[in-house]
Amino acid sequence: MEENKIISNCRLVIIGGSAGSLNALMQILPELTALRNYAIVIVVHRKSTDDQTLEELITLKSSVPVKPIEDKTILIPGFIYIAPSNYHLLFEKDDTLALDTSEKINYSRPSIDVSFESAAEIFGSSLVGILFSGSNTDGTLGLQAIQENGGKIVVQNPLSADMPFMPNNAILFTTPDYVLNNEEILALLNSINS
Amino acid sequence: MIEDIELETLINEVYEYYGFDFGSYSRASLKRRVYRVYQLGGFGHFHEFLSKVRSDPEYYKQMIDEITVNVTEMFRDPTFYGILRKEILPLLGTKPFIRLWHAGCSTGEEVYSMAIMLKEAGLLHKSLIYATDINATVLETAKKGIFPLRMMKEYSQNYRDAGGQEDFSSYYTANYGIAKFNEELSQKMVYSQHNLVSDTSFNEFDIILCRNVLIYFDSDLQKRVINLFDESLAVLGFLALGTKETIKYSISPGKYKQFEKEKIWRKIK
């Protein structure tokens, strides 16, 4: 990886995705080695009644340990966290996670924008946001908020996305630091804080 | 977004002027809700918003209704209702009289869900469901038992997923986009305003349901509210929380036994 792509002082990588993003995650997560002093939070759209399947699948495939999210779960570097279905996921100042059942935003709960904006406010420049495949506009405003607060933003290359609409929309309305295919995103994650 | 100091000023002024204490609410969610109300009001500066809240009690009331989360659904988490139907109601059914409390009931969708299950278990006639919320406006909706008709398809699916076998549409009358639930269900409901932050226990119950309310409170307030529930619960009574909530940081272990993997605890002493 090129020198200028290495991101340092990162405490959190927040990942958003919708339709088609699971494929990309399943290519990347199993290949990830240990997370160097940062945590990953994954926010993907899914059926409101799907409570555990995604957690179980990622836990099974990932060599990085996965921690379930409950009310006031503490974020610890080195772990992957997955936003539960049917709640918005927010971040508190004391590094705990907060859940919220308020109205769906753009038909989604969890909403990627809501989680990205909340993380941007708490983590500022120590945040990296990555947006994957999907067929709606969720995530674009969130990426803007991350950038405005000094964080880095990454968009999956629409050519490698199953559903290019969501990454395309983000590229149209933000200035991503990187537009990357899945292998490049993996390399970026492995280089963080090195 | 609004500044932290602005939010804290609002919290202090609301307490000073109206005696309502948001100080123990989780900040991330509260801030987002306040920001939304502030934006909707079209204020130029936060101090204009503060001044409006101070000087206009009617606006203050609207603001409180907007800030408190009132989103709910019938048979939310069908697995939970399935367990309630199969495991918990038969245990409660052995009692001559069943007292239930829905704390933070919002517009009442979960209360009507419970009434339907009690009816199907043949227990509604000997039950009394107390349902409370801090928000008087949502209680008015709940009393009427009128919900949007467009939600019925989803609720009907939830009902079946929770083990319901009747024709769900037999529980309501559809009319002009609304579904009005049968009065037979609401006859055993008592609605009343109650603030979990400041009000005390008012009865003894066999089951207390408080789902997705504690997530809006900080740890100290959670402890206080769980103790309030403990004081209000009969021995061998049940406490049911939301699927991501727990009592384990709030009450001494050994006093309650968790019901399998569900967010249902039984008071054992």
Side-chain angles (χ1 to χ4, degrees), chain A residues 1-7 178 191 194:
Chain A
M1 172 141 301
E2 302 154 43
E3 189 72 10
N4 66 4
K5 270 192 193 169
I6 291 177
I7 295 169
Y178 311 109
S191 74
S194 66

Side-chain angles (χ1 to χ4, degrees), chain B residues 238-258:
Chain B
F238 296 94
L239 174 62
L241 302 180
T243 52
K244 303 298 168 192
E245 295 169 325
T246 185
I247 64 165
K248 74 178 172 199
Y249 307 115
S250 305
I251 210 137
S252 58
K255 202 170 180 187
Y256 281 78
K257 192 174 183 309
Q258 188 166 6

Side-chain angles (χ1 to χ4, degrees), chain A residues 74-158:
Chain A
I74 300 170
L75 265 185
I76 303 169
F79 291 91
I80 293 174
Y81 298 80
I82 298 155
S85 61
N86 222 1
Y87 290 88
H88 291 303
L89 177 71
L90 302 166
F91 297 81
E92 298 279 1
K93 278 206 181 102
D94 59 359
D95 280 359
T96 60
L97 297 166
L99 298 169
D100 177 319
T101 60
S102 60
E103 298 80 358
K104 291 180 180 178
I105 305 286
N106 294 324
Y107 309 101
S108 304
R109 188 173 54 219
S111 145
I112 299 168
D113 283 338
V114 167
S115 293
F116 278 21
E117 284 166 8
S118 176
E121 202 192 331
I122 298 296
F123 290 92
S125 62
S126 56
L127 178 67
V128 176
I130 308 179
L131 191 68
F132 281 96
S133 164
S135 49
N136 56 65
T137 61
D138 198 9
T140 296
L141 292 175
L143 286 177
Q144 280 172 3
I146 291 174
Q147 199 161 48
E148 277 163 19
N149 283 275
K152 290 274 191 287
I153 63 173
V154 181
V155 177
Q156 184 189 24
N157 187 336

Side-chain angles (χ1 to χ4, degrees), chain A residues 48-49 51-52 55 69-72 84-88 90-93 98-105 109 114 118 121, chain B residues 1 4 26-29 31-33 36 69 71 73 76 78 158 212 214-219 222 242-246 263:
Chain A
S48 64
T49 46
D51 193 31
Q52 290 299 326
E55 281 85 340
I69 293 181
E70 292 216 321
D71 174 42
K72 296 184 179 43
S85 61
N86 222 1
Y87 290 88
H88 291 303
L90 302 166
F91 297 81
E92 298 279 1
K93 278 206 181 102
L99 298 169
D100 177 319
T101 60
S102 60
E103 298 80 358
K104 291 180 180 178
I105 305 286
R109 188 173 54 219
V114 167
S118 176
E121 202 192 331
Chain B
M1 195 42 92
D4 291 347
S26 294
R27 289 299 188 269
S29 178
K31 196 170 178 181
R32 205 180 135 242
R33 308 282 302 171
R36 190 168 147 270
V69 174
V71 178
E73 55 189 272
R76 182 186 164 116
N158 282 354
N212 299 311
L214 296 178
I215 48 175
Y216 301 108
F217 298 163
D218 71 17
S219 310
Q222 286 185 353
T243 52
K244 303 298 168 192
E245 295 169 325
T246 185
K263 292 308 174 72

